[in-house]
Amino acid sequence: MLKSIRIRAAIVILLCLAALVYLAPSLSTSLPESWKKYLPMDKIHLGLDLQGGMHLVLEVDSAKAVESTLARSINDLKENMMEKRIRFKLTTNAAGGNAAFEFPDAPARDAFDDLLAKQYPDLEVASSGAVEGKGIATVKIKDKRALEIKKMAVEQSLETIRNRVDQFGVTEPEIIPQGTDRIIVQLPGIKDTTRAKSLIGRTALLEFKLVDEENSLDEALKGNIPEGDVIASESRLDRTSGRRNEIPLLLKNRTLMSGDALESAKVQIGDRFGEPHVSIKFNSQGATEFERITGENVKKRLAIVLDGVVHSAPVIQEKIAGGEAQITGSFTMEEASDLAIVLRAGALPAPVTILEERTVGPSLGQDSIDKGTWASIIAGILVLLFMIAYYKATGLIADVALTMNMLLLLGVMVAFKATLTLPGIAGIVLTIGMAVDANVLINERIKEELRLSKTPRAAIEAGYKKAFLTIFDSNVTTLVAALFLFGFGTGPVKGFAVTLTIGILVSMFTAVFVTRILFDYFVWNRKIEKISI
């Protein structure tokens, strides 16, 4: 029996030492270098309500994703019809989710219908008719496919935002969908909210387009924009005044290449002015395509367009092999770093709008921590005193288990990188009550057995046996409720569920396993003849 007590005591001591090791970085800021090198350095992660941060509700404009998909399909359809020599005129290009074609005669319209049915299963004719002898057909994406695209747009936006936030270095972010087209983002510890919003909300659609140097920019600015062209602005920094100027450029509307083939993006410092720029590299397929594009357009200007803004439009001096390019634009280091992050994470499939923004100040969080800590300390001290006053020496055993319960609970939270929130502190206080409740059950059963004139050893044996099922039943039902809260809850509710779940498991261990070691030690080793209870 004594061997069993030693083994069980060794297990408890090892667990307590492990908990202390994990808690040490949270308790002290002056740990030795050897500790930092070999032992855990994570502190208790604090939630948004405790350390401050930002709460955003975003709405994904999923209709834009449908419109973009239609625009790409219509461009492909146009090129296909030109190759097959089908005569047509595009009168409306994907505006409002519809594209309208005009056909000069019936054979052209029949050829269009045949092509649409065979090669574009996602498109359908929404309406058709004739005006002045010419056939008119309005095309749209099928309703079922449009719903799929909207759903995918939200899912892809969620993943893209998560990737961006992860690369931004935010610890324990909360990024979850809400409803059909909304996303909730919680970023604990964020202080530069403007930068964070810019990082999350940027679409980051990277395109490469040729500058139209054949047609007049002045005429285009007067409203005479050539067909297939678009006016864009290039943002340039005036090094003498420090002001940014918007320079208009006439671009070919056709996108030669997009950021889909991007393999990496990183910040580098330029040799000439010492300014940061973003160096991008394409995958093998993208590199081949980039080499072809640059080879076919030597001595022409290739504009690098991000979210409709031209960042640079250099002249292609020669065919560029290797699939590498640079995005310059007089960036600050932070701007270049954020741009590299959004390019690596990929473009959002549709624009997002910030519907709600709340910022929790760190001072409010510190106030919550202080009050929650004092509430836990006062609750703990009162419980410790009550147990000693009511159960005497046996109450001390329960107090040892309760103290160990807090130590193991916080240690496990650090080890599993769980986040402590304000409701989580409430969960800890509740755990204190549940841990004591288990000890009360055990002590009362032991007292009942002692009243039957049983020996201390027999009373302890019977007391634990009878109390265990009740303790197990009540804790398991609470544990099931906590797991459901964790599975279906969000934010603060989940924080409460996390501490409650860990607290229940730890309190069962300390109340049943740890206290039994102490009782067994005094009964077997000290051979006590009377229990102070």
Side-chain angles (χ1 to χ4, degrees), residues 220-343:
L221 290 173
K222 292 176 183 174
N224 302 318
I225 302 174
E227 186 175 349
D229 281 8
V230 64
I231 295 177
S233 295
E234 181 181 5
S235 179
R236 289 184 189 170
L237 179 69
D238 187 333
R239 298 184 187 282
T240 55
S241 64
R243 293 177 54 188
R244 282 191 178 275
N245 299 317
E246 300 294 326
I247 311 297
L249 284 175
L250 187 61
L251 305 180
K252 297 285 187 184
N253 195 29
R254 185 185 171 206
T255 301
L256 298 180
M257 199 170 171
S258 69
D260 295 342
L262 214 60
E263 183 179 270
S264 67
K266 60 184 177 182
V267 180
Q268 289 188 323
I269 305 298
D271 297 331
R272 189 176 176 187
F273 297 108
E275 290 182 341
H277 63 264
V278 178
S279 176
I280 58 177
K281 184 177 181 181
F282 297 105
N283 57 27
S284 57
Q285 187 179 353
T288 306
E289 183 68 10
F290 192 64
E291 184 177 351
R292 183 190 65 77
I293 291 170
T294 52
E296 291 175 356
N297 297 284
V298 174
K299 300 303 177 186
K300 294 181 182 177
R301 294 181 68 190
L302 183 66
I304 302 175
V305 187
L306 184 69
D307 292 341
V309 176
V310 179
H311 279 262
S312 55
V315 177
I316 302 171
Q317 299 295 346
E318 58 183 354
K319 182 166 69 175
I320 303 173
E324 293 188 0
Q326 292 181 355
I327 302 177
T328 58
S330 304
F331 301 117
T332 65
M333 184 57 81
E334 282 189 350
E335 288 171 341
S337 175
D338 291 350
L339 178 58
I341 287 173
V342 296
L343 289 175

Side-chain angles (χ1 to χ4, degrees), residues 36-271:
K36 296 176 183 176
K37 196 172 181 181
Y38 299 107
L39 295 172
M41 280 302 296
D42 281 337
K43 296 183 178 180
I44 295 177
H45 294 297
L46 301 179
L48 186 70
D49 50 357
L50 292 181
Q51 65 168 315
M54 190 167 63
H55 171 97
L56 296 174
V57 179
L58 307 173
E59 184 178 56
V60 181
D61 190 355
S62 51
K64 281 287 182 187
V66 178
E67 199 171 299
S68 301
T69 305
L70 177 63
R72 287 195 296 272
S73 300
I74 293 301
N75 283 335
D76 188 70
L77 179 60
K78 278 169 52 185
E79 292 179 7
N80 212 342
M81 285 196 290
M82 285 190 283
E83 285 180 7
K84 296 183 182 305
R85 299 185 180 279
I86 301 172
R87 293 191 298 162
F88 71 96
K89 181 181 178 183
L90 184 64
T91 55
T92 307
N93 191 1
N98 291 298
F101 289 89
E102 185 180 286
F103 303 98
D105 48 39
R109 172 60 198 270
D110 292 341
F112 166 77
D113 287 338
D114 186 55
L115 182 65
L116 196 69
K118 287 182 178 175
Q119 297 190 22
Y120 298 90
D122 293 340
L123 301 181
E124 65 179 359
V125 175
S127 63
S128 60
V131 177
E132 298 177 355
K134 296 179 180 178
I136 302 291
T138 304
V139 176
K140 69 167 191 172
I141 289 185
K142 291 178 180 177
D143 293 342
K144 184 180 177 182
R145 179 60 183 153
L147 288 175
E148 291 175 354
I149 292 171
K150 288 181 178 179
K151 185 180 176 186
M152 286 173 59
V154 176
E155 292 175 352
Q156 192 178 337
S157 298
L158 191 78
E159 191 60 32
T160 302
I161 291 172
R162 183 173 288 126
N163 287 339
R164 290 180 183 181
V165 170
D166 287 345
Q167 294 189 36
F168 192 49
V170 178
T171 307
E172 296 289 320
E174 187 84 17
I175 303 168
I176 53 174
Q178 184 189 54
T180 56
D181 57 358
R182 293 186 181 181
I183 297 172
I184 293 177
V185 180
Q186 290 190 342
L187 305 176
I190 283 291
K191 295 174 183 171
D192 191 347
T193 55
T194 304
R195 186 184 173 196
K197 283 191 292 183
S198 171
L199 182 83
I200 292 170
R202 184 183 293 182
T203 304
L205 178 60
L206 180 66
E207 298 171 293
F208 293 84
K209 296 182 176 182
L210 284 176
V211 177
D212 186 351
E213 296 176 293
E214 298 168 357
N215 293 297
S216 169
L217 174 63
D218 293 334
E219 285 297 317
L221 290 173
K222 292 176 183 174
N224 302 318
I225 302 174
E227 186 175 349
D229 281 8
V230 64
I231 295 177
S233 295
E234 181 181 5
S235 179
R236 289 184 189 170
L237 179 69
D238 187 333
R239 298 184 187 282
T240 55
S241 64
R243 293 177 54 188
R244 282 191 178 275
N245 299 317
E246 300 294 326
I247 311 297
L249 284 175
L250 187 61
L251 305 180
K252 297 285 187 184
N253 195 29
R254 185 185 171 206
T255 301
L256 298 180
M257 199 170 171
S258 69
D260 295 342
L262 214 60
E263 183 179 270
S264 67
K266 60 184 177 182
V267 180
Q268 289 188 323
I269 305 298
D271 297 331

Side-chain angles (χ1 to χ4, degrees), residues 46 49-50 362-378 422 425:
L46 301 179
D49 50 357
L50 292 181
S363 59
L364 179 63
Q366 187 59 47
D367 188 49
S368 301
I369 293 174
D370 294 341
K371 288 182 178 177
T373 304
W374 276 111
S376 302
I377 291 173
I378 293 170
L422 190 58
I425 294 176

